[in-house]
Amino acid sequence: MSGRGLRGLRWLTCCSNGLLRGPQIVTQCLAPSSRTMATESEVLQDLTTTPPVDGVVSRLTTSIPKPVWEIPPVQTTVYSFPSMEPLRFVEYSHKHLLMPLRRDILHRAVIYEGDATRQGTASTKWRGDVHGSGRKLYQQKGTGKARVGDKKSPIRRGGGVAFGPHPRDFSTGLPRKIYDQAWRIALSYRFRQGQLTIVDDEISLPDGATPHLIKRIFKANSWGRGNGRSTLITDRKDDDLFAVVNEMHHDAKILDREDVDVKDLLETGRLIIEKRALDKILAEHSKDLKNQPAKARY
């Protein structure tokens, strides 16, 4: 036999031995681990069946309770107006004044409010709405002029308007849950930026107060035009207070709680709001927090 044939026979012999030896080695390697697993299962079974010793087994068999993480409430300071003297601390839920900033939700809320305020009353007359005869003014050919129809044509004076606007509804839809979240996100953003001032009782002025006094108060607290103006929100409308603040519209504006939108919470540099108005706003826009999640029924 040639040398090449001997080398091929030796290679086949080595491969056969390797193939025969491989499963044996694998079985021998797996055997100790399988015995170990069986031993551990037997030990656990014995521990669960035998009475506890020194409370060790009982701690192993009892289920470990899952940790419950609770976010503490938010503490804010309530001031007295117009002296701005701190009075006390009040607590609010983190879902009211500590929500993360979501610019997309705020944008959707502002667009929703803007679309709802559009009147959509613009109206024009198409050629079918114009009063007049439908008779053709002159013949189609032979005059040397451009062809023309009746006098109600849009290309003639006194005729209809081509593709003119008609009354329509510009309002868009937004889920109530998203809209409520936008209110709390706007208030939370103001609170984190330190631009939310809560006033106890009512925002009131002494008798005979003038806009000059209001300007001095705003200048002392850095609430004026140089700091981005301020928005005062009251629970009820006081005509005298509104008249005084409206005279200094360059430094501040005042709104009733019922007239406030999400855009008003973000428009100026600071919010000065009565505690009663803030509580009512949060209660009105927290309905999604009171709903229980739906349960699956099988």
Side-chain angles (χ1 to χ4, degrees):
M1 185 179 294
S2 62
R4 182 177 300 176
L6 290 175
R7 286 194 298 271
L9 182 60
R10 190 180 297 115
W11 179 79
L12 290 175
T13 306
C14 295
C15 291
S16 60
N17 291 337
L19 292 174
L20 293 175
R21 195 177 301 156
Q24 297 175 1
I25 295 174
V26 173
T27 306
Q28 294 175 2
C29 294
L30 292 177
S33 62
S34 61
R35 287 196 299 269
T36 304
M37 294 172 61
T39 306
E40 292 178 355
S41 62
E42 293 174 359
V43 170
L44 291 177
Q45 185 176 2
D46 294 339
L47 288 175
T48 55
T49 54
T50 56
V53 179
D54 298 334
V56 177
V57 181
S58 61
R59 289 196 300 269
L60 292 175
T61 55
T62 55
S63 59
I64 301 175
K66 297 181 180 180
V68 179
W69 303 98
E70 296 182 358
I71 301 178
V74 181
Q75 288 189 352
T76 60
T77 308
V78 178
Y79 298 90
S80 176
F81 190 88
S83 62
M84 300 312 298
E85 178 184 357
L87 299 178
R88 65 182 187 276
F89 291 102
V90 293
E91 294 182 352
Y92 289 95
S93 173
H94 68 280
K95 295 182 179 180
H96 288 162
L97 294 182
L98 206 62
M99 293 191 65
L101 179 61
R102 289 287 302 274
R103 298 179 184 273
D104 55 336
I105 293 180
L106 294 177
H107 179 265
R108 292 180 61 182
V110 172
I111 296 299
Y112 166 73
E113 293 173 348
D115 292 341
T117 57
R118 297 185 66 177
Q119 295 181 355
T121 57
S123 178
T124 55
K125 292 184 178 180
W126 180 233
R127 63 187 307 166
D129 302 327
V130 177
H131 179 72
S133 173
R135 180 182 63 85
K136 190 175 177 62
L137 295 181
Y138 47 83
Q139 59 185 2
Q140 181 82 355
K141 297 179 180 297
T143 61
K145 299 180 181 180
R147 53 191 178 184
V148 69
D150 55 8
K151 68 174 184 179
K152 298 184 293 184
S153 175
I155 63 176
R156 288 194 168 272
R157 184 175 181 179
V161 178
F163 309 108
H166 290 277
R168 53 170 294 190
D169 184 12
F170 287 94
S171 62
T172 56
L174 184 67
R176 180 69 183 183
K177 179 178 180 180
I178 302 299
Y179 189 57
D180 290 344
Q181 289 181 2
W183 279 84
R184 303 198 304 272
I185 290 172
L187 292 172
S188 301
Y189 173 75
R190 289 300 193 186
F191 174 75
R192 287 195 304 269
Q193 296 294 326
Q195 301 170 352
L196 179 64
T197 302
I198 304 176
V199 177
D200 194 18
D201 295 335
E202 296 180 357
I203 300 177
S204 59
L205 297 174
D207 296 337
T210 59
H212 178 68
L213 177 60
I214 296 291
K215 290 183 179 180
R216 292 185 60 182
I217 296 173
F218 275 60
K219 184 178 180 180
N221 295 279
S222 300
W223 295 347
R225 178 172 50 183
N227 299 96
R229 300 175 69 230
S230 300
T231 300
L232 282 73
I233 301 176
T234 61
D235 183 47
R236 63 180 184 87
K237 187 175 181 179
D238 186 356
D239 296 334
D240 297 335
L241 178 62
F242 273 61
V244 173
V245 176
N246 288 332
E247 291 184 12
M248 45 173 300
H249 60 277
H250 294 290
D251 294 322
K253 70 174 185 177
I254 186 169
L255 295 172
D256 188 10
R257 177 182 57 85
E258 297 180 355
D259 297 333
V260 178
D261 292 331
V262 176
K263 182 180 179 181
D264 298 324
L265 301 178
L266 304 170
E267 190 173 10
T268 58
R270 174 173 291 275
L271 292 179
I272 305 171
I273 184 172
E274 297 177 357
K275 183 180 182 301
R276 187 181 304 173
L278 177 62
D279 294 342
K280 290 183 179 180
I281 289 175
L282 293 176
E284 182 180 359
H285 298 285
S286 299
K287 297 179 181 179
D288 58 318
L289 302 179
K290 300 178 183 179
N291 297 335
Q292 297 294 333
K295 296 182 179 179
R297 297 180 180 179
Y298 298 98

